Every structure is written in C-alpha cells, then in structure tokens.
Amino acid sequence: MMTACAQAQSLPKYLDETIPVEQRIDDALSRMTLDEKIAVIHAQSKFSSPGVKRLGFPDFWTDDGPHGVRPDVLWDEWEQAGQSNDSCVAFPALTCLAATWNPQMARLYGESLGEEALYRGKAMILGPGVNINRTPLGGRNFEYMGEDPWLASRMVVPYIQGLQSKGVAACVKHYALNNDEEYRHQVNVVVSDRALHEIYLPAFKAAVTEAGTWGLMGAYNLYKDQHNCHNNIMLNQILKGDWHYDGVVVSDWGGCHDTDQAIRNGLDMEFGTWTDGLTMGATNAYDNYHLALGYKRMIQEGKYTTKELDDKVRRILRLFYRTTMQRQKPYGFLCSDSHYEAALKIAQEGIVLLKNDCNLLPLDLKNAKRILVVGENAIKMMTVGGGSSSLKVQREILPLDAMNVQCSMFNVQCDYARGYVGDTVQSYNGVTVGRSIAETRSADELLKEAVERARGADYVIVFGGLNKSNYQDCEGHDRKEYGLPYGQDALVEALVNVNKNIVFVNISGNAVAMPWADKVPAIVQGWFIGSEAGEALASVLCGDVNPSGKLPFTWFQRLEDCGAHALGAFPGTWREDYKIIDEEYKEGIYVGYRWADLPPKVQSSKFNVQTSKPLFAFGHGLSYTTFKVGKPIANSQKLTANSQITFTIPVTNTGSRAGSETVQLYISDKKASVDRPVKELKAFQKVFLQPGEMREVELTIGVDALSFYDEATHQWKAESGKFEALVGTASDQITGKCEFELK
Ligand code: BGC
C-alpha cells in the first residue's frame, strides 16, 4: 500500500497543490501538445471551451450574465436546452446596484451570484459590465454602473471580489468604449486620451488592479480603427502592460475578426465567432475560428513560434487553477432564501425617491379606502428580455401582486387599470414565463378606464417606464427617443387632471423625459430589479423601507441637455463605404454631471451651446426622513504626494424615521494648466441613522483624487496649488466646503 507521502511524491508537479501555482502552470504547459494548446484558446460550444482531458483539466463553462445565471442553451445553438434545474434568482440590474452607493451590497451581490453559478457548474460569469453611461439612449446602460468612474470603480471591486471568493471568475465587460449599442460592431470611437483614461477606463482598471479580476471581455467596437477584442493599445499596452493584468481576455461573442491581430494583440480566448461571415454563423464551426486550425497551421508553417500561444495558454491554465482546478471552493446552491434576501435588500437599497412633494409618500394605507394601480409595468415580468442578461427565474414578484398584499393588510381596495399597452410578449429566447398580458382594448379605451378609476381614489400609482423590449433598454439597440413610449405622457397628464395624489414609478435603466414632472408630486426610480421587484417597490412605497438610493447618473431634462447630444456627437458619422461609423466623443471628459456642472458661459465659449440644468442631479435621492450634514473638518490643510487628508463630517438624522444618507465628497481644482471639471466625485459613504442619531463620517483622499491624465507625458499628474473638497448629499446639494493645498 502506498503511503500518503509516497503518493504526493508521485503526483506530477502540475497536480501538486503544495507547489506554487506558477510552477504548476509551467509544468502543465510543458506537457501539452500543440493541439491541446490550440484547443483551450477557443470555444467548443456556445458557452464552453475544452479543458485538457488527458491531464485532468475539465471543460471550462462560462455563462451570462451580470444579474443572474442565464439558462442553458443547446451545445451549438441559441435555443433553450430545456433544463429543469436552471431557474435562477434574478438580482437587480447593475444600475440599481450602483444606485445603492453601498459597496457592501456589491459584495453580497457577487457572493450570492457566485453561489448560484457554482451550483450551475459555471466557472466564469460574463459580467459585471462597467461601460460608462454616456447617453441616456444607450441600450445597455441598465447593465452598467452609471456615469461616474469613481462610483463604478468602488462598486465593481467588491462585486468581483465577492464572486471570485466563491472560486467563480468574473469577466468584466465590455473593454472598452462600448457606450452605445445600435452599431456596436461598426463603431470606431474617437476619444481624447484624457477622456479615455479619466472617464472610460478607471472602472476597468480598478477591476484589474484592485479586484484582480480573472477574466475580462473585449468589446465589439473599434478604437483607433482596431477591434477592441484584439486591440494592441487596449490589450497589450494598457491592460497587460501598464496594469500588469495576469488573467484572460475573452472575446465578446463574435468580436474576433482577424487572425494575426488575435494572435498578437492580446486576445486569449475566442468565443462566438460567426465563421461563415454571411449570416449569424455556421454549425459547429469551431475549428474555423481565428484561434483554431488556421493559427495552428501558421505555427506549423513557421509564421509564428509558440511564444504568443504559450502566453495565452499560461493565462488559461492560471484561470483553471483559480476556478475549475481549485479544490477549496464551497458548494453552490440555487434559489436559496439567502439569495432572495440578497436580491430584495439590494433592490430596496437601490430604489431612488426622486421627488416627494408634501410627503405624499409613503402611502398612508391606514387612512385609505381605495388605491388605483395603473400601467403595464405593474403586471409585466422584467427579468425576461433585453439581450444576453435575460433570465429564466424561479419567481418574479410583480408590482401589482405586491401592492395587493400591502393593501389587503389594511383592508384597502387595490384597483387596477392597464392605462396603456406596450409590449405584451412575455417570452424571450425560448423562455416563456408569467401570465398572459394580452390586451384587445384600444389605447383610448384604456386611457378612459384609467381616468375613470382614478377619480376618487386615495392614490394613483403608475408603474410605467421602459420594458427591455427592442429600443426600450435592450442589447443591440439604442433607444430611439428620450420620451416615454406607448403614450404614457398623455396618460399621466390625463390622470393628474383628475387626481392630485399621483405617484409615478419609473421602471428603466436609463433616464427618460418627464415633461409632466412638476405636476406629479411623487416620482420613484424603480429600475429593473429582478426576482423581488414587486416586493421591493411595494415596501418602499408603503414605508416598510425608507428609500436610500442615489442616482448613479445625471437625469437630464431634455436629450439635448446631455453633452453628447448637445454637440451632435451621437451616433457618429458613417464612412463612405458604410462599413465603419466614427463616433467622436466631442464632449471629452464632460460626461454626465461634469457636463451639467459647466457654467453657461463656459459651455458657450468652449462648445458654443447652452444646456439647461438636469431634472435630477447625479447623486440625488430623497428619504422619508431628513438629515443634517454638518461642516466638514479636515485633519490637515495640506496634502503632499505621500500623505492623505481625512475629512470628518457630522451627519444627523433630524427626522422621525430611521434611514440612510450618502455623504458625497467631490474635489474641485481651483487652478490648473488643463481644463478640469468643476468637481469630481472622489469619496462617499452611506450611513444608517436612527431618528435623532448623529454620526461622524470620515472620508479620506490622497493625491490620486487630485490628479488628471496628462496627455503629454501619458502619466497621471497632480499639480500643486489650491483645491476644494465639496461635501454634500447630491452633486447639486453641496452643504460644506474645505479648502486645502497640494504642496
Ligand atoms: C454580449 C455579451 C455576452 C455575450 C454572450 C454578446 O452579444 O455583448 O455581453 O456576454 O453575447 O452571450
């Protein structure tokens, strides 16, 4: 009988867990044949790549998506595989997570999703997405974390750490500059180095350098005329060079177009390529992938050595050791109470109370007799649709059902009127769930019915907004207009005429035009919030939960108020051959509040336009209680390259309900050799307070918070001189300032 010790000695190095991983990788690599190496760098099915069976590395399975684990599709087709064990919990879409402004929620999100992925046998989740919300028309903004690089960075790091703590790789996407959808395969983004590094890259950089993401997905679009899935600057120079990334670069599905570039420019794993080049693809065409037999031939013919190949394989083996070969992983579980609790908590914390005149909310159900719920979004499932993040859920609580439950507790009649018809299709990519919402009545009849029922109701609560169908917040298409679809504006106006106690709950991942905003006393941003949607919304509307979400983007009044649109810099200009559309980000670093903050004089002198103030500012979000944010006190008036300043800010809950406030710290550079935004978010903290309670929030910054990207030297640079720390509860609610100096 062999002793344990003898057994360990006979283990090949690559299997010996006592040996450092890098040595195990070397050993495994030295044992692999050319065919085995070529096999691991490209897909073998829609969502898997092979391991190295001979050596005991299992197949590598990945799956969408950022908000829950996508149901299985067939081996080589997009149709549902029809499994009975792939109904998941849908977590809130990432705009909602960002709106919590609570990194602990991101950690919880990542951990819960990781457990679901483990149960489903997925070693990598294709997410999270951190593309910047540059325009409210961006179809996939709902999947991303808003407009601000600092907020997105603080939220993406714990998400990745939580996910990877379960032995499941993140695949942060879509790197980079994939800020709109309609022409995502043809857009060549033209952007200044400053905007690239200050706005569009920081969240990816944080994902790599702080969270240590194991995977990263290249974007479909081009930058400097090269596709981002094999872009030399993006992948070789910035990601792998400057940021020392040691993980794998995965192509977006069908994002690889050129064999030589794929070999040389940093792509490690090719997925989803449509190899016939005419339609959406040939059957089982994996051997024809760029990183498959063609590449092998080039090596055999001497065009390439195995230098590039070995680097790719090394990274993939590292990924295997981190995931499929990692034996310390916990077991996963699906649809647990804890996952539903996490989904609910994140949703409740992310819902934003945009407006609440005369404290119309929370609903006073104790003193009500009848409420009217209006709108298709009260009865429509939102976890199905929108593209690759679409899910098959075990359950989704609809707003109307949850409102019914709340009303029944107080013996209040909960009436419903459809109000409008949007999209009655309740299935997507073969997943059909939920009750039928077919409707035969005309728009006029629906409007009339809603108005009639609204008369005399104690409250009218409209659940409207977008719905993830084509052009209404979805992958592959941008929205065609900023206004609400399906005649919702007319509906709201008609309802306001007969009932003043109206609440509009907007379901979307983007801002929408609200021409009636001053007539509607209460407005709530309800996002796409997953399995517990109805429950979360009802708990906020009825006051069981005090809202504490803050907008992760600027809510412009009109589309033209957003920099990209004010400057006509969307969607770009087609080249003569109609193959590429150049999209110049003319607003540069002035995205979101950085644009809205520009004084009118500066807007007109610099850009020759004038835009109006946002309807709701970045960072805005109300509560059912009130807070007093006191004067910030700095522990020093001077900062040096190696020191930090801590600002202490007293926050008091001055109302009668427990609640959370998010203290935001923006930095303003008083004088600089380059253009700088009026202010930039550099620290924040959410604090929970009982009525009357006071706490001191401490926010610390270092010299990084003062830096800009210097295009001349390609370095971050902080110039000495005067700065101001602006503290407040929204980007337009600055309550205190502190001046300091960088020496
Ligand atoms: C999307 C990715 C997704 C992939 C796989 C692509 O079309 O852009 O975000 O992960 O498909 O479904």
Side-chain angles (χ1 to χ4, degrees):
M1 211 171 81
M2 251 210 253
T3 62
C5 179
Q7 220 167 28
Q9 275 169 8
S10 68
L11 267 184
K13 257 190 179 178
Y14 76 93
L15 285 178
D16 186 346
E17 290 178 359
T18 65
I19 293 176
V21 163
E22 294 303 311
Q23 290 177 26
R24 297 173 70 193
I25 294 172
D26 284 343
D27 184 52
L29 188 71
S30 72
R31 293 167 191 265
M32 287 171 72
T33 64
L34 179 60
D35 282 330
E36 284 167 342
K37 289 180 183 175
I38 290 287
V40 297
I41 63 171
H42 68 275
Q44 62 173 0
S45 76
K46 286 284 179 235
F47 284 102
S48 75
S49 58
V52 192
K53 292 186 183 56
R54 187 177 57 87
L55 300 179
F57 292 91
D59 284 355
F60 188 82
W61 280 91
T62 179
D63 205 1
D64 289 300
H67 313 137
V69 188
R70 178 176 175 164
D72 286 335
V73 296
L74 292 172
W75 183 261
D76 187 46
E77 274 138 88
W78 289 108
E79 277 71 54
Q80 291 298 304
Q83 318 277 31
S84 55
N85 65 347
D86 59 355
S87 302
C88 67
V89 173
F91 299 92
L94 296 189
T95 34
C96 175
L97 175 63
T100 67
W101 289 58
N102 185 349
Q104 286 173 15
M105 288 299 113
R107 173 86 198 192
L108 176 66
Y109 196 123
E111 287 176 1
S112 312
L113 182 60
E115 286 163 357
E116 297 244 326
L118 279 179
Y119 176 87
R120 297 274 312 281
K122 311 300 180 193
M124 177 187 269
I125 284 292
L126 302 173
V130 285
N131 294 94
I132 291 293
N133 177 330
R134 172 179 178 249
T135 150
L137 300 190
R140 281 183 99 170
N141 285 342
F142 74 94
E143 287 189 53
Y144 305 142
M145 298 198 188
E147 73 183 27
D148 183 72
W150 176 260
L151 175 63
S153 301
R154 291 314 95 214
M155 299 304 288
V156 77
V157 168
Y159 176 118
I160 293 171
Q161 288 168 335
L163 183 65
Q164 295 191 164
S165 73
K166 304 292 172 184
V168 176
C171 187
V172 60
K173 66 193 190 184
H174 307 86
Y175 179 78
L177 300 167
N178 183 182
N179 306 100
D180 41 58
E181 285 297 288
E182 200 66 45
Y183 310 114
R184 60 183 176 162
H185 298 284
Q186 294 117 307
V187 168
N188 177 55
V189 174
V190 181
V191 62
S192 71
D193 277 356
R194 273 196 71 195
L196 177 68
H197 287 272
E198 292 184 22
I199 306 291
Y200 297 100
L201 292 187
F204 290 102
K205 184 177 181 187
V208 171
T209 60
E210 294 181 53
T213 186
W214 298 335
L216 175 139
M217 186 188 287
Y220 281 136
N221 53 287
L222 301 93
Y223 169 64
K224 291 200 193 279
D225 286 334
Q226 205 165 53
H227 282 100
N228 277 337
C229 289
H230 32 70
N231 187 298
N232 186 44
I233 299 177
M234 285 290 183
L235 300 177
N236 283 342
Q237 293 179 20
I238 299 177
L239 176 73
K240 293 183 173 176
D242 299 346
W243 301 347
H244 307 292
Y245 179 56
D246 71 357
V248 298
V249 173
V250 174
S251 72
D252 198 346
W253 269 232
C256 181
H257 302 272
D258 183 290
T259 305
D260 288 302
Q261 289 179 18
I263 293 168
R264 292 190 187 131
N265 293 352
L267 177 66
D268 301 308
M269 291 178 108
E270 181 185 359
F271 278 90
T273 304
W274 311 317
T275 48
D276 70 354
L278 294 171
T279 65
M280 289 295 274
T283 306
N284 280 309
Y286 303 101
D287 282 349
N288 301 338
Y289 273 31
H290 296 279
L291 294 182
L293 296 187
Y295 183 17
K296 181 181 157 191
R297 222 170 296 124
M298 289 175 173
I299 291 175
Q300 286 168 330
E301 288 165 1
K303 180 166 180 192
Y304 291 100
T305 66
T306 57
K307 179 171 157 268
E308 294 87 358
L309 178 62
D310 285 347
D311 178 64
K312 296 178 202 301
V313 176
R314 234 174 244 288
R315 290 169 182 275
I316 292 166
L317 288 169
R318 199 173 289 127
L319 177 68
F320 289 170
Y321 284 117
R322 287 167 164 168
T323 57
T324 51
M325 294 296 278
Q326 202 224 108
R327 297 204 302 167
Q328 313 308 326
K329 293 194 290 287
Y331 290 104
F333 40 96
L334 198 64
C335 297
S336 67
D337 288 349
S338 65
H339 295 170
Y340 280 114
E341 274 161 31
L344 178 62
K345 204 159 179 235
I346 297 161
Q348 287 169 331
E349 270 209 35
I351 292 168
V352 185
L353 180 61
L354 291 173
K355 186 177 175 197
N356 195 19
D357 286 357
C358 308
N359 296 324
L360 183 67
L361 289 173
L363 305 175
D364 180 10
L365 291 183
K366 269 193 206 121
N367 294 308
K369 286 199 172 59
R370 182 174 72 90
I371 71 161
L372 175 68
V373 172
V374 182
E376 184 173 286
N377 284 352
I379 56 167
K380 184 168 171 64
M381 287 184 73
M382 292 292 170
T383 53
V384 195
S388 55
S389 63
S390 180
L391 297 170
K392 173 173 146 191
V393 290
Q394 190 199 41
R395 74 163 189 250
E396 176 175 343
I397 299 178
L398 297 169
L400 179 60
D401 294 340
M403 288 308 298
N404 261 316
V405 172
Q406 287 277 356
C407 285
S408 65
M409 290 191 289
F410 295 94
N411 257 331
V412 175
Q413 186 189 338
C414 182
D415 220 354
Y416 175 70
R418 175 78 167 248
Y420 69 91
V421 178
D423 177 9
T424 55
V425 178
Q426 289 265 80
S427 75
Y428 187 81
N429 189 214
V431 176
T432 306
V433 258
R435 65 189 121 183
S436 162
I437 56 167
E439 177 59 66
T440 51
R441 288 170 293 171
S442 71
D444 248 18
E445 285 173 297
L446 293 172
L447 189 134
K448 271 198 196 117
E449 179 199 50
V451 168
E452 280 323 305
R453 292 195 183 173
R455 287 183 211 278
D458 292 289
Y459 298 99
V460 177
I461 302 146
V462 185
F463 289 88
L466 311 179
N467 56 19
K468 288 192 183 172
S469 58
N470 278 351
Y471 306 102
Q472 306 299 343
D473 276 358
C474 74
E475 183 175 334
H477 290 297
D478 294 315
R479 295 166 61 202
K480 287 184 173 164
E481 60 203 4
Y482 193 40
L484 282 169
Y486 319 128
Q488 292 179 71
D489 287 341
L491 172 68
V492 173
E493 298 273 3
L495 291 170
V496 171
N497 283 339
V498 295
N499 196 318
K500 298 287 169 237
N501 286 347
I502 179 164
V503 181
F504 189 83
V505 182
N506 187 61
I507 306 297
S508 74
N510 266 314
V512 298
M514 292 183 165
W516 35 258
D518 54 356
K519 297 182 211 156
V520 172
I523 306 177
V524 172
Q525 176 56 20
W527 312 115
F528 298 116
I529 48 179
S531 283
E532 298 285 38
E535 178 74 19
L537 288 165
S539 66
V540 166
L541 294 171
C542 300
D544 298 343
V545 166
N546 191 352
S548 64
K550 297 273 184 181
L551 283 179
F553 53 68
T554 304
W555 198 295
F556 294 103
Q557 301 243 12
R558 307 165 312 162
L559 190 59
E560 314 83 271
D561 295 333
C562 163
H565 296 277
L567 302 179
F570 171 93
T573 312
W574 286 100
R575 292 185 190 170
E576 262 179 23
D577 60 7
Y578 213 70
K579 286 192 177 138
I580 301 284
I581 177 167
D582 288 304
E583 186 169 11
E584 190 186 344
Y585 289 9
K586 291 184 187 157
E587 71 285 4
I589 53 173
Y590 297 106
V591 174
Y593 67 90
R594 289 166 170 81
W595 172 266
D597 273 354
L598 283 174
K601 259 196 353 222
V602 180
Q603 268 193 2
S604 41
S605 63
K606 210 189 288 280
F607 294 105
N608 207 13
V609 291
Q610 274 211 11
T611 59
S612 1
K613 286 266 152 270
L615 184 57
F616 304 112
F618 171 81
H620 168 80
L622 305 172
S623 164
Y624 295 149
T625 186
T626 47
F627 298 96
K628 183 169 182 299
V629 177
K631 219 179 125 36
I633 313 266
N635 68 352
S636 167
Q637 262 61 56
K638 288 190 179 59
L639 189 65
T640 59
N642 303 314
S643 69
Q644 292 186 320
I645 298 188
T646 296
F647 301 90
T648 305
I649 306 120
V651 191
T652 313
N653 182 344
T654 48
S656 54
R657 277 169 186 266
S660 296
E661 180 55 289
T662 300
V663 183
Q664 305 165 27
L665 184 146
Y666 298 83
I667 294 293
S668 175
D669 190 351
K670 302 295 358 152
K671 194 160 164 257
S673 64
V674 294
D675 284 353
R676 301 218 59 184
V678 171
K679 63 179 186 297
E680 296 185 277
L681 182 73
K682 292 298 169 182
F684 61 87
Q685 196 181 313
K686 192 167 190 170
V687 55
F688 176 79
L689 297 167
Q690 294 294 340
E693 189 183 352
M694 188 282 278
R695 277 208 213 173
E696 287 186 335
V697 168
E698 289 189 348
L699 298 175
T700 300
I701 56 147
V703 73
D704 287 359
L706 318 183
S707 313
F708 61 88
Y709 186 83
D710 182 8
E711 296 191 326
T713 61
H714 304 291
Q715 302 285 332
W716 287 85
K717 181 171 172 186
E719 291 176 337
S720 50
K722 287 207 167 78
F723 290 83
E724 218 168 24
L726 310 173
V727 169
T729 54
S731 64
D732 66 345
Q733 288 296 316
I734 299 303
T735 51
K737 297 181 182 183
C738 254
E739 231 185 49
F740 62 95
E741 208 176 333
L742 175 67
K743 284 283 182 194

